[in-house]
Amino acid sequence: MKQERSPQLDADADETASQELPGGVRVFFTVAWCSFLVASVATVLCFAFVDPAPFADLSRTAAYSFGFLFFWAVCALSAAVTAWMLNPPGS
Amino acid sequence: MNTPPKAVTEAETDSYYEAHKKIYPREVKGRFATLRNLSVWVLLGLFYGMAWLHWNGRQAVLFDLPARKFYIFGLTLWPQDFIYLSWLLIIAALSLFFFTAVGGRLWCGYACPQTVWTEAFLWMERITEGDRSRRMKLDRAPWSLEKFARKSAKQALWIGFSVWTGFTFVGYFTDIHTLGLEVLGFNLGPWETFWILFYGFATYGNAGFLREQVCKYMCPYARFQSAMFDRDTLIITYDAERGEPRGSRKRGEDPKLRGLGACTDCTMCVQVCPTGIDIRKGLQYECIACAMCIDACDTVMDKMDYPRGLIRYTTQNSLEHKQAHVLRPRVIIYATLLALLTAGFIVSLALRKPVALDVIHDRNTLYRMTDDGEAENVYQLKIMNKDERPRRFHVTVSGSEDLELEPEKVFFDVGSGEVYNGAVRVRREAYEHTGQETIRFTITADDDPNLSASAESRFFAPTR
């Protein structure tokens, strides 16, 4: 790699700390992000067809918010189990 | 436990992630930078400004989640109109496919919120911490009063801007004026507070901290956009044929004499790149097609009196001196589908009736016999007036000839954007043979006979 770079670039590539996330943190963020995406879609789909007002003793804003957090938690659980199962013991 | 030391296999070190290096994009001026600045101003202006627009005495664009109604200027959409939202999303997705097939990652370079907000955050970073070399110097320097002051100023701007962004975002879902008053009076609801901070935090994290990592690791579009590419898609490329062998030279010196190509190896294209790649290594998935390297290179070419376009928008085919095709099956199919869907969307939206009727038969009793020996059914009418003004509707019923509506003349006054629930009774004699039948209710606006809606229900009666 290095020999391809220009002298000025090497000077720039400098000592700014390069940070690599540990594996566990990386899995955590991947799980959180992917489940966030899917939970957003699920929330829109769910509440487009279901009006929470008659079922819950909550304002709609609160019901939507809880709904989203619930979907996020469920999706995150699924993603986390998937991530965990992807590494079979002994691999 | 006595475990032998594990050999480090290739698989273990073969991580998908490389160590992240902070990127300091250099500011660049030129045609495409101007274009992107324009796009940033227009898009951010729309986002922050539109929330405050008014239309017919209400917020012009309001996705009123608490009331389950979407207002888009003159249009009011109800949950029943969800089909339009999905339709619109399909059109948006197809547009993305179409523009990607023709122009490459135009979306990423000029319109994506990630790009637009990162530009805004970079601007705040520049005015507080200075240009690229100053920022790098500042980060390397030990903590001093000046460093602290500059960093705090940047953080203050970033956080203020992020909170304002979160506030505006929530302002599209609950009335922004009320929300503003609640903020000023410190009586903001818990969920509004949560979402303002949540969205503000997301803005700060994505545009201030993660930046190009969002495009490289998190964006789903970045992962599949290459599937829409072919050899005739516009890409940003370095013309290696013209540029190589690269090397520094004095101005006015003839590169041919020294056996050099047009690339002066000034590395400007690398320094301006927001994703930190070297475009001279060829097309890379990290490239968001922002064209900053084109601007940077053109500036250098101008200085050297070389023709522009050593790095330019071109296609794989024309780079290889082959025939370029703008119209090709992929483009034609996307364009046709897009045109059909858009036309269908506009037509159905234009023909959409601003009134809807739901009829529900009384749940408790199927029918009741009156003293005159008639069967009577009770119905709940649910009238939705999606129009911009209040209407008076009258109800008629049709079925077998001697159906009787009770009361005979029923009027319902329904306000704009309201749902009205009213009960009506329908009577008729009990027949010899027929028990139940299907009947049809129709509501018609008094001042506009063309504005009507109808719905069917069952009429129940005993056989005599």
Side-chain angles (χ1 to χ4, degrees), chain A residues 6 12 14 33 47 60 65, chain B residues 66 68 132 140 195 218 265:
Chain A
S6 314
D12 286 349
D14 65 41
W33 169 240
F47 290 117
R60 281 203 183 110
S65 305
Chain B
R68 293 178 75 76
R132 179 174 192 262
R140 272 196 302 257
W195 287 114
M218 290 163 69
D265 205 12

Side-chain angles (χ1 to χ4, degrees), chain B residues 236-293:
Chain B
I236 292 173
T237 352
Y238 165 68
D239 192 342
E241 210 178 283
R242 208 191 118 189
E244 297 298 317
R246 65 184 80 157
S248 58
R249 76 285 312 266
K250 289 201 184 78
R251 243 188 99 183
E253 194 178 11
D254 188 358
K256 284 198 191 93
L257 288 179
R258 288 186 49 200
L260 290 174
C263 176
T264 65
D265 205 12
C266 65
T267 73
M268 278 298 168
C269 53
V270 184
Q271 296 183 37
V272 297
C273 181
T275 63
I277 59 170
D278 186 344
I279 193 71
R280 296 172 298 176
K281 289 181 186 161
L283 185 65
Q284 292 147 75
Y285 85 96
E286 292 97 334
C287 174
I288 57 166
C290 66
M292 292 202 203
C293 49

Side-chain angles (χ1 to χ4, degrees), chain B residues 133-329:
Chain B
S133 47
R134 276 164 168 272
R135 291 203 299 274
M136 292 197 296
K137 226 169 110 186
L138 192 72
D139 275 0
R140 272 196 302 257
W143 280 97
S144 65
L145 200 64
E146 193 204 340
K147 183 169 177 174
F148 180 75
R150 287 187 181 277
K151 292 266 172 197
S152 326
K154 178 180 86 174
Q155 292 298 335
L157 278 181
W158 278 7
I159 292 169
F161 191 68
S162 300
V163 172
W164 184 249
T165 308
F167 170 78
T168 309
F169 178 75
V170 175
Y172 278 102
F173 298 96
T174 56
D175 183 80
I176 197 162
H177 286 93
T178 321
L179 197 68
L181 289 176
E182 282 173 2
V183 170
L184 291 178
F186 294 105
N187 54 355
L188 198 61
W191 286 111
E192 280 87 355
T193 315
F194 170 76
W195 287 114
I196 288 177
L197 294 180
F198 186 89
Y199 199 81
F201 175 74
T203 309
Y204 177 91
N206 286 334
F209 180 67
L210 290 173
R211 293 195 181 163
E212 80 286 348
Q213 300 178 75
V214 173
C215 312
K216 279 159 82 169
Y217 307 122
M218 290 163 69
C219 177
Y221 171 68
R223 300 279 172 111
F224 68 71
Q225 42 84 23
S226 61
M228 267 91 72
F229 272 57
D230 56 29
R231 303 183 66 81
D232 287 304
T233 301
L234 269 190
I235 48 173
I236 292 173
T237 352
Y238 165 68
D239 192 342
E241 210 178 283
R242 208 191 118 189
E244 297 298 317
R246 65 184 80 157
S248 58
R249 76 285 312 266
K250 289 201 184 78
R251 243 188 99 183
E253 194 178 11
D254 188 358
K256 284 198 191 93
L257 288 179
R258 288 186 49 200
L260 290 174
C263 176
T264 65
D265 205 12
C266 65
T267 73
M268 278 298 168
C269 53
V270 184
Q271 296 183 37
V272 297
C273 181
T275 63
I277 59 170
D278 186 344
I279 193 71
R280 296 172 298 176
K281 289 181 186 161
L283 185 65
Q284 292 147 75
Y285 85 96
E286 292 97 334
C287 174
I288 57 166
C290 66
M292 292 202 203
C293 49
I294 301 185
D295 281 338
C297 189
D298 280 352
T299 313
V300 174
M301 292 294 112
D302 287 355
K303 271 190 199 146
M304 300 297 293
D305 280 333
Y306 294 171
R308 287 182 167 194
L310 179 58
I311 302 175
R312 63 174 185 273
Y313 274 111
T314 182
T315 67
Q316 196 78 40
N317 271 344
S318 55
L319 201 66
E320 292 167 7
H321 312 291
K322 288 182 190 154
Q323 176 79 39
H325 315 82
V326 178
L327 286 182
R328 41 204 202 272

Side-chain angles (χ1 to χ4, degrees), chain B residues 7-45:
Chain B
V8 180
T9 61
E10 205 181 329
E12 274 172 303
T13 52
D14 186 18
S15 164
Y16 289 115
Y17 297 83
E18 60 180 333
H20 171 61
K21 284 203 186 70
K22 188 169 172 184
I23 291 166
Y24 300 86
R26 176 189 278 275
E27 191 186 8
V28 66
K29 289 192 171 63
R31 289 176 291 167
F32 300 109
T34 311
L35 195 62
R36 185 179 17 268
N37 275 339
L38 186 74
S39 160
V40 168
W41 275 102
V42 169
L43 293 174
L44 287 186

Side-chain angles (χ1 to χ4, degrees), chain B residues 360-366 378:
Chain B
I360 303 158
H361 192 282
D362 185 62
R363 283 169 213 255
N364 298 321
T365 37
L366 280 183
V378 179

Side-chain angles (χ1 to χ4, degrees), chain A residues 43-64:
Chain A
T43 310
V44 172
L45 279 179
C46 169
F47 290 117
F49 296 106
V50 181
D51 180 3
F55 307 115
D57 198 14
L58 288 166
S59 74
R60 281 203 183 110
T61 310
Y64 294 145

